[in-house]
């Protein structure tokens, strides 16, 4: 009976045994797609679920179609360069343009991480992705913004829809991220002392809604709220008597809701359309314009490194 169960579960025991020995001995004669499964099994439990989802999307979309069937020990730096050249020509179906340099760098970083893992723990002699060198650039971050005058024109156009209006007021005047906005509860606001505590973010991963720790350690922060905004927040809370202190105040809206209202409001105001995330850039632009030091700006918006702030 035991033998029957084993052979039923592993239809070809010889193949399973070879795979098992390959894994146990660190033999990298396996194909790349098999090693990716090992990498995910061993590495992903240490990462945030959202990070795993992002990595998995990049691997499935850009890496496995090219390298999946190649033996990992036979992948050369020339293979990586050819793959990079294909990536550089690939059109992003969402924008109709080639992928940004910052995104290409992120994609390359992922294959580099997998092959580095193979070098460190499975005795791959060299990392062909590292030898080939990276493509793209971290400095090519898409960045656009509205001036204060432009934002005020926009806010007048969305004032008739309170949920959208108050969301955009918080995004623009506090410089918080979309996920941080959507995770906010009444308990996060200390209106007496004019402070907002950021300690979490909201995201949807593979259809699952979740509230998780924020993007980085420095994202945990307290933000001073302007007097006029404290008054607006009090008015907003009066509109939400049914929302309990620890419930999300923007539970009924989504990132697509915010994007659609940015687009419509910008069109009505005669402004260029920017991304929702660009309201954060607009906030930083405002802080620079009023003369706030770079270190103070970095603390307020939760930049992991002041170098990010200096890019502005």
């Amino acid at each position: 009976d035991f033998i029957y169960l084993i052979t039923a579960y592993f239809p070809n025991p010889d193949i399973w045994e070879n795979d098992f020995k390959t894994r146990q001995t660190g033999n990298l004669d396996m194909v790349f797609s098999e090693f990716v499964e090992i990498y995910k099994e061993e590495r992903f439990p240490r990462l945030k679920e959202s990070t795993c989802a992002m990595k998995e999307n990049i691997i499935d979309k850009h890496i496995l179609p090219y390298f999946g069937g190649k033996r990992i020990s036979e992948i050369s730096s020339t293979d990586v360069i050819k793959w990079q050249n294909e990536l550089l020509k690939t059109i992003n179906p969402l924008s109709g343009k080639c992928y940004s340099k910052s995104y290409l760098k992120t994609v390359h970083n992922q294959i580099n991480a997998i092959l580095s893992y193979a070098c460190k723990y499975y005795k791959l002699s060299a990392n062909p992705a590292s030898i080939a060198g990276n493509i793209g650039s971290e400095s090519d971050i898409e960045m656009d913004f509205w001036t204060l005058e432009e934002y005020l024109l926009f806010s007048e156009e969305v004032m008739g829809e309170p949920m959208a209006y108050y969301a955009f007021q918080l995004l623009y005047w506090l410089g918080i991220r979309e996920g941080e906005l959507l995770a906010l509860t009444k308990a996060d606001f200390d209106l007496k002392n004019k402070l907002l505590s950021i300690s979490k973010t909201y995201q949807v991963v593979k259809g699952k809604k979740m509230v998780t720790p924020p993007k980085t350690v420095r994202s945990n922060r307290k933000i001073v709220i302007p007097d006029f905004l404290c008054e607006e927040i009090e008015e907003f809370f009066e509109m939400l008597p049914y929302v309990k202190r620890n419930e999300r105040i923007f539970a009924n809206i989504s990132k697509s809701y915010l994007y659609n209202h940015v687009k419509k409001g910008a069109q009505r105001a005669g402004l260029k359309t920017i991304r929702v995330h660009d309201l954060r850039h607009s906030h930083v632009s405002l802080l620079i314009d009023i003369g706030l030091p770079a270190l103070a700006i970095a603390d307020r918006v939760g930049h992991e490194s002041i170098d990010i702030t200096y890019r502005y």
Side-chain angles (χ1 to χ4, degrees):
D1 290 343
F2 178 73
I3 294 175
Y4 172 77
L5 287 171
I6 290 295
T7 54
Y9 189 75
F10 301 111
N12 192 330
D14 291 337
I15 293 176
W16 177 83
E17 183 180 3
N18 287 336
D19 288 345
F20 179 79
K21 287 180 178 179
T22 294
R23 179 168 178 168
Q24 291 301 105
T25 60
N27 184 347
L28 290 175
D29 201 34
M30 69 179 83
V31 295
F32 184 81
S33 60
E34 293 173 338
F35 185 77
V36 165
E37 291 307 309
I38 294 174
Y39 171 79
K40 286 160 57 176
E41 181 181 327
E42 295 178 356
R43 185 79 181 100
F44 279 20
R46 300 167 180 264
L47 305 175
K48 291 172 59 175
E49 190 170 352
S50 57
T51 302
C52 294
M54 180 272 290
K55 286 177 171 288
E56 200 162 25
N57 178 60
I58 288 175
I59 291 168
D60 292 345
K61 188 176 180 180
H62 298 295
I63 300 176
L64 286 181
Y66 194 93
F67 293 105
K70 295 180 182 289
R71 295 196 179 279
I72 193 168
S73 58
E74 296 176 354
I75 295 174
S76 67
S77 56
T78 304
D79 291 328
V80 176
I81 290 171
K82 289 178 180 178
W83 167 73
Q84 290 174 338
N85 290 336
E86 291 296 319
L87 270 181
L88 288 167
K89 296 184 292 185
T90 302
I91 300 298
N92 180 350
L94 296 178
S95 67
K97 302 177 183 178
C98 291
Y99 287 104
S100 69
K101 291 181 181 180
S102 58
Y103 182 73
L104 291 175
K105 183 176 178 66
T106 300
V107 174
H108 184 273
N109 285 346
Q110 186 53 62
I111 191 171
N112 187 59
I114 294 170
L115 294 172
S116 290
Y117 194 84
C119 290
K120 186 172 183 179
Y121 297 105
Y122 287 87
K123 301 178 182 178
L124 182 66
S125 59
N127 180 347
S130 178
I131 295 170
N134 212 324
I135 52 174
S137 169
E138 286 183 346
S139 62
D140 183 48
I141 296 175
E142 292 182 50
M143 206 177 283
D144 206 348
F145 66 94
W146 282 332
T147 63
L148 173 59
E149 292 75 16
E150 288 172 326
Y151 174 72
L152 293 176
L153 287 173
F154 166 79
S155 65
E156 287 179 9
E157 293 298 329
V158 296
M159 199 172 288
E161 299 179 64
M163 190 63 69
Y165 172 75
Y166 289 114
F168 291 130
Q169 285 288 88
L170 292 173
L171 288 169
Y172 179 78
W173 292 107
L174 301 180
I176 58 178
R177 302 177 177 94
E178 295 163 74
E180 293 170 346
L181 172 87
L182 296 176
L184 291 177
T185 67
K186 291 180 179 178
D188 294 322
F189 293 85
D190 178 358
L191 296 179
K192 181 179 179 181
N193 293 303
K194 303 172 186 175
L195 291 173
L196 170 63
S197 297
I198 298 295
S199 60
K200 53 192 177 295
T201 188
Y202 171 83
Q203 52 199 322
V204 180
V205 179
K206 296 183 178 180
K208 181 181 177 183
K209 300 176 181 179
M210 58 179 66
V211 175
T212 65
K215 185 177 180 180
T216 65
V217 174
R218 285 181 61 85
S219 294
N220 289 279
R221 62 199 189 278
K222 292 186 183 294
I223 304 172
V224 176
I225 308 172
D227 290 349
F228 75 89
L229 190 57
C230 283
E231 294 175 6
E232 290 196 347
I233 293 167
E234 288 178 345
E235 294 171 0
F236 181 43
F237 285 175
E238 289 175 3
M239 298 169 54
L240 305 172
Y242 52 88
V243 176
K244 296 178 182 178
R245 183 169 169 78
N246 290 305
E247 291 179 341
R248 291 195 301 120
I249 58 179
F250 292 108
N252 294 325
I253 67 174
S254 63
K255 290 185 177 182
S256 60
Y257 170 96
L258 294 170
Y259 169 76
N260 289 333
H261 279 75
V262 163
K263 186 177 180 180
K264 292 176 183 176
Q267 289 173 346
R268 292 197 299 265
L271 301 170
K272 64 185 176 185
T273 300
I274 63 174
R275 302 170 303 167
V276 177
H277 187 72
D278 289 324
L279 289 172
R280 177 171 163 85
H281 296 157
S282 300
H283 179 71
V284 175
S285 174
L286 177 67
L287 299 180
I288 292 171
D289 194 46
I290 63 177
L292 207 64
L295 186 58
I297 294 174
D299 286 342
R300 181 172 175 84
V301 299
H303 284 159
E304 187 65 13
S305 167
I306 196 170
D307 291 339
I308 299 172
T309 313
Y310 281 131
R311 289 180 195 166
Y312 287 83

